[in-house]
Amino acid sequence: MEKREILSEWYRRVWIEGDLDAIDELFSPDTQAAGLVPEMQVGPDDFRELVPMFLDMVEDPHVSLDKVMEDGDWASALYSMRVTDSATGKPVIGSGQLFARFEGDKMVETYNSFDFMSFFEQVGLLPEQCLALCLTGQKIA
């Protein structure tokens, strides 16, 4: 299976369908994903907790792999996510990046970045213009 297809399966099955069994099929048991949570790496068991929490906050998730580059055992992707905020019914748009190394059809090393600040701002958990407030030195209350 091509790396792009594996990434597509990862986002579709895990993040859209909530298929937690797919984590073990696509992610090596000892892999720790860096970058999703500051100062913490996320392993398969963590994903089994994180994914349902995320999917409880949203409805109708869609993920698009906007750009994918493959080089040997590595693939990188820019992706965008469209969801509906479960609490308000408003559309929410997020974007992120993934850099992954593969052995066969499994990710064995990953580095992630997702714009959580914008996402949480859109769902009302952070104030509007949060980044601008932070850049002026204001504390977020």
Side-chain angles (χ1 to χ4, degrees), residues 10-49:
W10 172 257
Y11 287 108
R12 180 183 61 79
R13 291 181 62 197
V14 176
W15 292 99
I16 294 173
E17 297 172 359
D19 178 0
L20 302 182
D21 292 333
I23 294 168
D24 292 330
E25 293 175 35
L26 302 168
F27 204 77
S28 176
D30 57 346
T31 300
Q32 298 290 304
L36 281 175
V37 180
E39 306 300 321
M40 181 179 140
Q41 293 188 337
V42 179
D45 290 336
D46 301 310
F47 276 113
R48 280 186 267 285
E49 292 179 23

Side-chain angles (χ1 to χ4, degrees), residues 1-9 68 70 75 102 104-105:
M1 187 180 314
E2 294 290 321
K3 292 167 191 63
R4 176 185 196 81
E5 293 171 24
I6 297 168
L7 293 176
S8 182
E9 285 286 299
V68 177
E70 296 184 28
F102 295 80
D105 289 346

Side-chain angles (χ1 to χ4, degrees), residues 85-105:
D85 180 353
S86 294
T88 65
K90 291 182 180 178
V92 177
I93 299 169
S95 62
Q97 301 173 45
L98 170 69
F99 193 61
R101 184 171 63 85
F102 295 80
E103 286 181 4
D105 289 346

Side-chain angles (χ1 to χ4, degrees), residues 3 8 10 21 34 54 61 63-64 73 83 88-89 95-96 103-104 108 120 125 130 138-140:
K3 292 167 191 63
S8 182
W10 172 257
D21 292 333
F54 176 78
V63 176
S64 171
D73 294 338
V83 299
T88 65
S95 62
E103 286 181 4
V108 296
F120 287 127
L125 297 176
C130 188
Q138 294 185 48
K139 288 185 178 181
I140 300 171

Side-chain angles (χ1 to χ4, degrees), residues 64-126:
S64 171
L65 294 176
D66 303 322
K67 301 283 182 195
V68 177
M69 291 179 26
E70 296 184 28
D71 184 16
D73 294 338
W74 290 90
S76 62
L78 295 172
Y79 64 92
S80 54
M81 179 179 284
R82 292 185 338 272
V83 299
T84 301
D85 180 353
S86 294
T88 65
K90 291 182 180 178
V92 177
I93 299 169
S95 62
Q97 301 173 45
L98 170 69
F99 193 61
R101 184 171 63 85
F102 295 80
E103 286 181 4
D105 289 346
K106 290 190 179 197
M107 290 180 270
V108 296
E109 185 176 355
T110 68
Y111 302 91
N112 303 268
S113 176
F114 185 78
D115 186 0
F116 283 111
M117 186 174 283
S118 174
F119 178 83
F120 287 127
E121 193 176 292
Q122 291 175 71
V123 297
L125 297 176
L126 288 173

